[in-house]
Amino acid sequence: MSVLVRGGSGRLCAAARRVIPCLWSGKCLSSGREPAENQVTPMLRHLVYKIKATGPITVAEYMKEVLTNPAKGYYVHRDMLGEKGDFITSPEISQIFGELLGIWFISEWMATGKNAAFQLVELGPGKGTLAGDILRVFSQLGSVLKNCDISIHMVEVSEKLSEIQALTLTEEKIPLERNAGSSVYMKGVTKSGIPISWYRDLHDVPKGYSFYLAHEFFDVLPVHKFQKTPQGWREVFIDIDPQVSDKLRFVLAPCVTPAEVFIQRDEIRDHVEVCPEAGVIIQELSQRIALTGGAALIADYGHDGTKTDTFRGFCGHKLHDVLTAPGTADLTADVDFSYLRRMAEGQVASLGPIKQQTFLKNMGIDVRLKVLLDKSDEPARQQLLQGYDMLMNPKKMGERFNFFALLPHQRLHGRSHPMNTCQSKPSVSPVAGFGELAWR
Ligand code: SAH
């Protein structure tokens, strides 16, 4: 496959950043590559007006506007996933990925006493491919789940992608209920008869025993960027280039900015990216899991508090200058799992990050591949093997992507959850994926 996954490293501007002056009007921080074409997109025009009116904006505000502005945001009106789009993700590469995640949720449901009901909540579901593969496993294991009341909850800001998700997942004979003004903006029934609802915000998803899933979701949340200077930490902002009209450039704030509180006191790096929105979401997930049980499985590319400049763009499977033609390319930054862990501390236990290769191996990817290969003819076999290589090869997605889980403390210490009335027996079975799958 000649496509580029977003986990690929694209250090577009690290060297230049060390010499930027601490003034709004300072020398331009090069974003690394000269734009192939200086396309004035509607988003660029919008940002130029905004900066002229109210001054330079943080990188976080830039990311938020470019990706999720309700009128012009990159995610809102387009389908960017797959070989014809800008990047490709694991569920789009191989059905095995989603199947193994489906088994993970069932394994956790069983290990915690087979609750009478659960919600599966997916954050940023893309085309709905991952949820589709998980739901197929739920149907195949119908005898195990037969007395369990399941519902599906999608947290999605993109109008376009929510329509694609509905097309992929729902039963077309049952019309969708739509209400753009409501926090539940769409409702339907899946092909296997499970109720499914769409929300823009996790806050609006009903609280209750839930399994949460976020695959390549945290990496698109807005990051603040900071550079260490002789005067202390200074935030990187985005301003208009005074030399070239309709061109953006990076500058450093002349003084301390509020987001600096997110930097650790003992930070040793000279450039950091912090994502307060990720912290808020992790805290919400942790509170929910501590209160009502369940688990969260987060998979993304990232690091454990070690990387510096990871902000980059992708367009047509190529690295793209983050400041060029905004709104036409995906923007992303590696997830800092050490920050996610800190945000969960005290409320729930966390596991990982562990490499995708290890997680999928522990989940039995080799056994599943063999079963599928035995059933397939030649072109399909090639596709399965290529998909396996893409997911598992350390040079491809195997080592760049990580799995991270949030679980109630009781889950790791063998006590039943107080809310879990159907608990059969206290359980201390290992958590699948993070150790070998213990299928009971
Ligand atoms: N999980 C999918 C898609 C990843 S792309 C996959 O792996 O294939 C990121 C997804 O997050 C898209 O569905 C995008 O529309 C959604 N998204 C981006 N920002 C969001 C936000 N702030 N709230 C909810 N969804 C968001």
Side-chain angles (χ1 to χ4, degrees):
M1 235 174 266
S2 61
V3 290
L4 180 64
V5 295
R6 291 194 299 180
S9 145
R11 296 170 57 80
L12 295 180
C13 40
R17 192 157 290 144
R18 280 185 213 112
V19 295
I20 47 181
C22 313
L23 291 168
W24 292 125
S25 55
K27 210 172 109 192
C28 165
L29 170 64
S30 158
S31 49
R33 294 185 317 173
E34 285 313 309
E37 47 177 333
N38 246 339
Q39 203 187 327
V40 182
T41 57
M43 176 55 72
L44 178 59
R45 224 170 283 130
H46 162 72
L47 291 167
V48 166
Y49 284 139
K50 186 180 167 83
I51 295 171
K52 277 184 181 158
T54 56
I57 56 174
T58 63
V59 173
E61 200 175 350
Y62 179 76
M63 269 182 100
K64 204 175 176 119
E65 278 293 312
V66 171
L67 296 182
T68 56
N69 176 296
K72 308 179 184 74
Y74 170 78
Y75 275 109
V76 179
H77 299 294
R78 68 172 74 206
D79 172 15
M80 69 298 294
L81 279 149
E83 292 196 40
K84 291 196 186 119
D86 293 325
F87 59 93
I88 195 155
T89 59
S90 296
E92 303 296 330
I93 289 169
S94 172
Q95 67 177 84
I96 305 180
F97 186 82
E99 290 171 350
L100 297 179
L101 267 50
I103 290 175
W104 192 86
F105 291 116
I106 297 178
S107 153
E108 272 311 291
W109 172 76
M110 291 173 80
T112 50
K114 302 186 182 175
N115 214 59
F118 71 78
Q119 308 188 134
L120 177 68
V121 183
E122 186 175 0
L123 308 177
K127 289 184 174 204
T129 311
L130 180 52
D133 291 335
I134 292 173
L135 285 173
R136 195 174 55 254
V137 169
F138 287 1
S139 294
Q140 283 163 353
L141 294 176
S143 58
V144 179
L145 290 166
K146 67 177 179 291
N147 295 322
C148 185
D149 194 1
I150 303 174
S151 56
I152 311 294
H153 304 263
M154 306 297 232
V155 180
E156 176 57 83
V157 283
S158 166
E159 212 178 295
K160 173 82 179 175
L161 289 178
S162 63
E163 289 300 328
I164 297 176
Q165 291 152 20
L167 214 60
T168 310
L169 300 169
T170 61
E171 169 53 58
E172 60 191 40
K173 289 195 195 110
I174 305 173
L176 289 161
E177 283 174 47
R178 292 168 207 271
N179 183 352
S182 161
S183 57
V184 192
Y185 65 86
M186 199 159 69
K187 274 184 184 178
V189 175
T190 69
K191 288 178 176 146
S192 50
I194 296 175
I196 180 166
S197 311
W198 277 263
Y199 315 77
R200 289 180 195 91
D201 199 311
L202 171 63
H203 238 76
D204 298 317
V205 175
K207 293 191 169 73
Y209 185 89
S210 302
F211 293 112
Y212 300 91
L213 171 62
H215 181 257
E216 290 216 33
F217 168 74
F218 280 91
D219 68 278
V220 299
L221 298 181
V223 293
H224 290 266
K225 287 175 82 67
F226 288 90
Q227 175 71 40
K228 198 178 261 173
T229 73
Q231 292 75 39
W233 288 104
R234 290 292 180 268
E235 185 161 5
V236 178
F237 275 65
I238 290 164
D239 197 1
I240 302 162
D241 190 332
Q243 316 289 329
V244 190
S245 64
D246 293 325
K247 187 168 185 286
L248 300 174
R249 62 168 189 163
F250 290 111
V251 291
L252 276 191
C255 53
V256 171
T257 50
E260 197 199 313
V261 296
F262 296 108
I263 303 176
Q264 292 286 99
R265 277 174 184 275
D266 54 357
E267 182 56 66
I268 53 166
R269 289 169 286 175
D270 63 0
H271 188 95
V272 289
E273 295 167 340
V274 289
C275 185
E277 208 167 296
V280 170
I281 292 174
I282 289 291
Q283 284 177 343
E284 164 99 28
L285 292 175
S286 304
Q287 277 164 14
R288 284 170 173 248
I289 293 167
L291 198 69
T292 55
L297 188 62
I298 294 163
D300 228 307
Y301 43 88
H303 57 92
D304 223 355
T306 51
K307 285 200 185 173
T308 54
D309 172 25
T310 71
F311 181 40
R312 59 197 183 278
F314 287 96
C315 184
H317 301 278
K318 290 199 177 86
L319 279 167
H320 176 92
D321 184 306
V322 289
L323 299 185
T324 296
T328 62
D330 185 34
L331 299 179
T332 169
D334 281 16
V335 174
D336 180 350
F337 287 101
S338 68
Y339 177 65
L340 303 194
R341 193 183 309 115
R342 275 203 307 280
M343 291 298 110
E345 252 161 33
Q347 296 269 0
V348 288
S350 62
L351 287 178
I354 66 163
K355 303 284 172 222
Q356 171 157 304
Q357 185 191 38
T358 313
F359 182 90
L360 296 179
K361 197 115 198 148
N362 286 340
M363 290 302 302
I365 190 169
D366 293 309
V367 177
R368 181 64 184 144
L369 177 72
K370 185 168 184 321
V371 170
L372 288 174
L373 285 175
D374 288 347
K375 289 199 295 202
S376 306
D377 52 16
E378 203 31 58
R381 285 171 66 90
Q382 277 313 313
Q383 226 178 358
L384 283 165
L385 289 167
Q386 273 178 13
Y388 176 93
D389 182 57
M390 193 80 164
L391 297 184
M392 296 292 282
N393 189 327
K395 294 202 179 94
K396 296 179 181 168
M397 297 165 109
E399 287 199 348
R400 284 193 197 129
F401 282 74
N402 298 275
F403 277 78
F404 179 76
L406 304 176
L407 301 146
H409 285 296
Q410 302 91 318
R411 168 68 180 94
L412 300 185
H413 300 118
R415 279 175 286 123
S416 61
H417 194 280
M419 295 289 288
N420 193 348
T421 47
C422 291
Q423 189 87 15
S424 48
K425 242 188 188 181
S427 160
V428 285
S429 64
V431 177
F434 296 87
E436 272 188 44
L437 180 64
W439 195 246
R440 294 182 304 171

mmCIF file of all heavy atoms in Angstrom, residues 150-152 154 166 169-172 174-178 184-191 193-198:
data_model
loop_
_atom_site.group_PDB
_atom_site.id
_atom_site.type_symbol
_atom_site.label_atom_id
_atom_site.label_comp_id
_atom_site.label_asym_id
_atom_site.label_seq_id
_atom_site.Cartn_x
_atom_site.Cartn_y
_atom_site.Cartn_z
ATOM 1 N N ILE A 150 -27.725 -3.940 24.691
ATOM 2 C CA ILE A 150 -26.616 -3.106 24.194
ATOM 3 C C ILE A 150 -27.172 -1.880 23.470
ATOM 4 O O ILE A 150 -28.192 -1.972 22.780
ATOM 5 C CB ILE A 150 -25.720 -3.914 23.226
ATOM 6 C CG1 ILE A 150 -25.189 -5.174 23.920
ATOM 7 C CG2 ILE A 150 -24.561 -3.075 22.701
ATOM 8 C CD1 ILE A 150 -24.421 -6.118 23.004
ATOM 9 N N SER A 151 -26.520 -0.741 23.629
ATOM 10 C CA SER A 151 -26.848 0.435 22.797
ATOM 11 C C SER A 151 -25.536 1.071 22.334
ATOM 12 O O SER A 151 -24.502 0.938 22.991
ATOM 13 C CB SER A 151 -27.701 1.439 23.579
ATOM 14 O OG SER A 151 -27.041 1.822 24.761
ATOM 15 N N ILE A 152 -25.603 1.761 21.177
ATOM 16 C CA ILE A 152 -24.404 2.357 20.585
ATOM 17 C C ILE A 152 -24.544 3.876 20.599
ATOM 18 O O ILE A 152 -25.610 4.412 20.269
ATOM 19 C CB ILE A 152 -24.225 1.896 19.104
ATOM 20 C CG1 ILE A 152 -24.350 0.371 18.989
ATOM 21 C CG2 ILE A 152 -22.901 2.391 18.520
ATOM 22 C CD1 ILE A 152 -23.271 -0.428 19.660
ATOM 23 N N MET A 154 -22.497 7.423 19.377
ATOM 24 C CA MET A 154 -21.404 7.976 18.573
ATOM 25 C C MET A 154 -21.206 9.452 18.919
ATOM 26 O O MET A 154 -22.169 10.222 18.867
ATOM 27 C CB MET A 154 -21.739 7.896 17.082
ATOM 28 C CG MET A 154 -22.115 6.510 16.612
ATOM 29 S SD MET A 154 -20.741 5.393 16.821
ATOM 30 C CE MET A 154 -20.622 4.708 15.209
ATOM 31 N N ALA A 166 -23.988 6.481 9.488
ATOM 32 C CA ALA A 166 -25.367 5.982 9.493
ATOM 33 C C ALA A 166 -25.594 5.027 8.318
ATOM 34 O O ALA A 166 -26.215 3.973 8.457
ATOM 35 C CB ALA A 166 -26.339 7.152 9.442
ATOM 36 N N LEU A 169 -23.857 1.725 9.139
ATOM 37 C CA LEU A 169 -24.262 0.938 10.307
ATOM 38 C C LEU A 169 -25.749 0.687 10.450
ATOM 39 O O LEU A 169 -26.148 -0.282 11.097
ATOM 40 C CB LEU A 169 -23.774 1.649 11.591
ATOM 41 C CG LEU A 169 -22.260 1.842 11.714
ATOM 42 C CD1 LEU A 169 -21.930 2.779 12.872
ATOM 43 C CD2 LEU A 169 -21.583 0.489 11.939
ATOM 44 N N THR A 170 -26.583 1.553 9.895
ATOM 45 C CA THR A 170 -28.006 1.428 10.262
ATOM 46 C C THR A 170 -28.825 0.668 9.230
ATOM 47 O O THR A 170 -28.465 0.569 8.061
ATOM 48 C CB THR A 170 -28.661 2.814 10.511
ATOM 49 O OG1 THR A 170 -28.574 3.574 9.309
ATOM 50 C CG2 THR A 170 -27.990 3.553 11.637
ATOM 51 N N GLU A 171 -29.939 0.189 9.724
ATOM 52 C CA GLU A 171 -30.900 -0.552 8.910
ATOM 53 C C GLU A 171 -31.680 0.458 8.073
ATOM 54 O O GLU A 171 -32.389 1.308 8.611
ATOM 55 C CB GLU A 171 -31.821 -1.328 9.882
ATOM 56 C CG GLU A 171 -33.034 -1.955 9.259
ATOM 57 C CD GLU A 171 -32.686 -2.827 8.066
ATOM 58 O OE1 GLU A 171 -31.913 -3.763 8.225
ATOM 59 O OE2 GLU A 171 -33.201 -2.541 6.960
ATOM 60 N N GLU A 172 -31.531 0.341 6.745
ATOM 61 C CA GLU A 172 -32.116 1.398 5.899
ATOM 62 C C GLU A 172 -33.643 1.413 5.913
ATOM 63 O O GLU A 172 -34.249 2.446 5.648
ATOM 64 C CB GLU A 172 -31.587 1.291 4.468
ATOM 65 C CG GLU A 172 -31.902 -0.009 3.789
ATOM 66 C CD GLU A 172 -31.134 -0.168 2.475
ATOM 67 O OE1 GLU A 172 -29.948 0.223 2.439
ATOM 68 O OE2 GLU A 172 -31.741 -0.680 1.535
ATOM 69 N N ILE A 174 -35.495 1.280 8.472
ATOM 70 C CA ILE A 174 -35.995 2.043 9.631
ATOM 71 C C ILE A 174 -35.453 3.471 9.498
ATOM 72 O O ILE A 174 -34.249 3.687 9.591
ATOM 73 C CB ILE A 174 -35.529 1.414 10.967
ATOM 74 C CG1 ILE A 174 -35.969 -0.057 11.002
ATOM 75 C CG2 ILE A 174 -36.072 2.188 12.166
ATOM 76 C CD1 ILE A 174 -35.449 -0.844 12.173
ATOM 77 N N PRO A 175 -36.331 4.443 9.236
ATOM 78 C CA PRO A 175 -35.831 5.804 8.993
ATOM 79 C C PRO A 175 -35.106 6.381 10.208
ATOM 80 O O PRO A 175 -35.468 6.091 11.347
ATOM 81 C CB PRO A 175 -37.107 6.610 8.710
ATOM 82 C CG PRO A 175 -38.232 5.647 8.704
ATOM 83 C CD PRO A 175 -37.783 4.335 9.226
ATOM 84 N N LEU A 176 -34.079 7.184 9.904
ATOM 85 C CA LEU A 176 -33.338 7.846 10.984
ATOM 86 C C LEU A 176 -34.173 9.002 11.518
ATOM 87 O O LEU A 176 -34.856 9.678 10.747
ATOM 88 C CB LEU A 176 -32.026 8.397 10.420
ATOM 89 C CG LEU A 176 -30.974 7.374 10.042
ATOM 90 C CD1 LEU A 176 -29.953 7.991 9.090
ATOM 91 C CD2 LEU A 176 -30.266 6.855 11.279
ATOM 92 N N GLU A 177 -34.094 9.217 12.824
ATOM 93 C CA GLU A 177 -34.740 10.416 13.401
ATOM 94 C C GLU A 177 -33.674 11.489 13.492
ATOM 95 O O GLU A 177 -32.611 11.246 14.066
ATOM 96 C CB GLU A 177 -35.193 10.140 14.840
ATOM 97 C CG GLU A 177 -36.440 9.332 14.962
ATOM 98 C CD GLU A 177 -36.680 9.005 16.438
ATOM 99 O OE1 GLU A 177 -36.594 9.904 17.288
ATOM 100 O OE2 GLU A 177 -36.917 7.812 16.711
ATOM 101 N N ARG A 178 -33.941 12.681 12.947
ATOM 102 C CA ARG A 178 -32.948 13.754 12.986
ATOM 103 C C ARG A 178 -33.502 14.963 13.723
ATOM 104 O O ARG A 178 -34.683 15.305 13.554
ATOM 105 C CB ARG A 178 -32.581 14.205 11.575
ATOM 106 C CG ARG A 178 -31.836 13.189 10.783
ATOM 107 C CD ARG A 178 -31.804 13.642 9.331
ATOM 108 N NE ARG A 178 -31.693 12.508 8.441
ATOM 109 C CZ ARG A 178 -30.545 11.983 8.054
ATOM 110 N NH1 ARG A 178 -29.416 12.504 8.463
ATOM 111 N NH2 ARG A 178 -30.514 10.938 7.256
ATOM 112 N N VAL A 184 -28.885 15.139 21.043
ATOM 113 C CA VAL A 184 -28.865 13.850 20.316
ATOM 114 C C VAL A 184 -29.345 14.188 18.912
ATOM 115 O O VAL A 184 -30.540 14.255 18.662
ATOM 116 C CB VAL A 184 -29.839 12.815 20.926
ATOM 117 C CG1 VAL A 184 -29.582 11.430 20.353
ATOM 118 C CG2 VAL A 184 -29.779 12.810 22.420
ATOM 119 N N TYR A 185 -28.416 14.416 17.988
ATOM 120 C CA TYR A 185 -28.856 14.977 16.711
ATOM 121 C C TYR A 185 -29.327 13.949 15.700
ATOM 122 O O TYR A 185 -29.932 14.286 14.686
ATOM 123 C CB TYR A 185 -27.808 15.922 16.113
ATOM 124 C CG TYR A 185 -26.488 15.310 15.714
ATOM 125 C CD1 TYR A 185 -26.305 14.725 14.465
ATOM 126 C CD2 TYR A 185 -25.402 15.344 16.579
ATOM 127 C CE1 TYR A 185 -25.086 14.191 14.085
ATOM 128 C CE2 TYR A 185 -24.176 14.813 16.215
ATOM 129 C CZ TYR A 185 -24.023 14.241 14.968
ATOM 130 O OH TYR A 185 -22.815 13.708 14.600
ATOM 131 N N MET A 186 -29.084 12.671 15.982
ATOM 132 C CA MET A 186 -29.574 11.631 15.066
ATOM 133 C C MET A 186 -29.751 10.341 15.864
ATOM 134 O O MET A 186 -28.997 10.082 16.811
ATOM 135 C CB MET A 186 -28.560 11.431 13.940
ATOM 136 C CG MET A 186 -29.099 10.757 12.725
ATOM 137 S SD MET A 186 -28.061 11.124 11.292
ATOM 138 C CE MET A 186 -26.578 10.237 11.660
ATOM 139 N N LYS A 187 -30.779 9.558 15.474
ATOM 140 C CA LYS A 187 -31.027 8.271 16.148
ATOM 141 C C LYS A 187 -31.439 7.258 15.109
ATOM 142 O O LYS A 187 -32.095 7.614 14.128
ATOM 143 C CB LYS A 187 -32.211 8.408 17.116
ATOM 144 C CG LYS A 187 -31.887 8.909 18.474
ATOM 145 C CD LYS A 187 -33.166 8.865 19.285
ATOM 146 C CE LYS A 187 -32.956 9.451 20.652
ATOM 147 N NZ LYS A 187 -34.180 9.466 21.419
ATOM 148 N N GLY A 188 -31.111 6.006 15.321
ATOM 149 C CA GLY A 188 -31.540 4.970 14.393
ATOM 150 C C GLY A 188 -31.406 3.607 15.041
ATOM 151 O O GLY A 188 -31.284 3.490 16.270
ATOM 152 N N VAL A 189 -31.415 2.579 14.189
ATOM 153 C CA VAL A 189 -31.273 1.205 14.661
ATOM 154 C C VAL A 189 -30.239 0.536 13.756
ATOM 155 O O VAL A 189 -30.289 0.687 12.528
ATOM 156 C CB VAL A 189 -32.634 0.463 14.567
ATOM 157 C CG1 VAL A 189 -32.476 -1.007 14.942
ATOM 158 C CG2 VAL A 189 -33.669 1.126 15.453
ATOM 159 N N THR A 190 -29.290 -0.174 14.353
ATOM 160 C CA THR A 190 -28.241 -0.799 13.521
ATOM 161 C C THR A 190 -28.814 -1.975 12.720
ATOM 162 O O THR A 190 -29.916 -2.444 13.004
ATOM 163 C CB THR A 190 -27.063 -1.336 14.379
ATOM 164 O OG1 THR A 190 -27.542 -2.454 15.136
ATOM 165 C CG2 THR A 190 -26.503 -0.274 15.302
ATOM 166 N N LYS A 191 -28.019 -2.454 11.775
ATOM 167 C CA LYS A 191 -28.449 -3.582 10.941
ATOM 168 C C LYS A 191 -28.755 -4.808 11.799
ATOM 169 O O LYS A 191 -29.533 -5.662 11.406
ATOM 170 C CB LYS A 191 -27.355 -3.905 9.919
ATOM 171 C CG LYS A 191 -27.301 -2.814 8.867
ATOM 172 C CD LYS A 191 -26.223 -3.012 7.831
ATOM 173 C CE LYS A 191 -26.369 -1.912 6.801
ATOM 174 N NZ LYS A 191 -25.151 -1.441 6.217
ATOM 175 N N GLY A 193 -30.117 -4.561 14.766
ATOM 176 C CA GLY A 193 -31.262 -4.257 15.639
ATOM 177 C C GLY A 193 -30.917 -3.556 16.948
ATOM 178 O O GLY A 193 -31.715 -3.544 17.884
ATOM 179 N N ILE A 194 -29.731 -2.943 17.021
ATOM 180 C CA ILE A 194 -29.311 -2.274 18.269
ATOM 181 C C ILE A 194 -29.570 -0.762 18.135
ATOM 182 O O ILE A 194 -29.243 -0.177 17.097
ATOM 183 C CB ILE A 194 -27.802 -2.527 18.525
ATOM 184 C CG1 ILE A 194 -27.564 -4.031 18.741
ATOM 185 C CG2 ILE A 194 -27.279 -1.724 19.707
ATOM 186 C CD1 ILE A 194 -26.093 -4.408 18.875
ATOM 187 N N PRO A 195 -30.144 -0.113 19.154
ATOM 188 C CA PRO A 195 -30.345 1.339 19.056
ATOM 189 C C PRO A 195 -29.016 2.091 18.985
ATOM 190 O O PRO A 195 -28.062 1.750 19.687
ATOM 191 C CB PRO A 195 -31.099 1.703 20.350
ATOM 192 C CG PRO A 195 -31.114 0.497 21.197
ATOM 193 C CD PRO A 195 -30.665 -0.684 20.391
ATOM 194 N N ILE A 196 -28.982 3.103 18.114
ATOM 195 C CA ILE A 196 -27.740 3.880 17.935
ATOM 196 C C ILE A 196 -28.087 5.369 17.914
ATOM 197 O O ILE A 196 -29.090 5.756 17.307
ATOM 198 C CB ILE A 196 -26.990 3.433 16.648
ATOM 199 C CG1 ILE A 196 -25.702 4.238 16.444
ATOM 200 C CG2 ILE A 196 -27.859 3.526 15.406
ATOM 201 C CD1 ILE A 196 -24.747 3.631 15.409
ATOM 202 N N SER A 197 -27.282 6.196 18.596
ATOM 203 C CA SER A 197 -27.546 7.642 18.681
ATOM 204 C C SER A 197 -26.266 8.415 18.428
ATOM 205 O O SER A 197 -25.171 7.919 18.711
ATOM 206 C CB SER A 197 -28.036 8.023 20.085
ATOM 207 O OG SER A 197 -29.060 7.170 20.503
ATOM 208 N N TRP A 198 -26.430 9.661 17.935
ATOM 209 C CA TRP A 198 -25.280 10.534 17.641
ATOM 210 C C TRP A 198 -25.324 11.810 18.487
ATOM 211 O O TRP A 198 -26.403 12.410 18.647
ATOM 212 C CB TRP A 198 -25.282 10.932 16.165
ATOM 213 C CG TRP A 198 -24.674 9.909 15.271
ATOM 214 C CD1 TRP A 198 -23.402 9.881 14.796
ATOM 215 C CD2 TRP A 198 -25.320 8.747 14.700
ATOM 216 N NE1 TRP A 198 -23.209 8.786 13.979
ATOM 217 C CE2 TRP A 198 -24.367 8.081 13.906
ATOM 218 C CE3 TRP A 198 -26.617 8.205 14.799
ATOM 219 C CZ2 TRP A 198 -24.673 6.906 13.207
ATOM 220 C CZ3 TRP A 198 -26.903 7.042 14.105
ATOM 221 C CH2 TRP A 198 -25.941 6.409 13.327
#
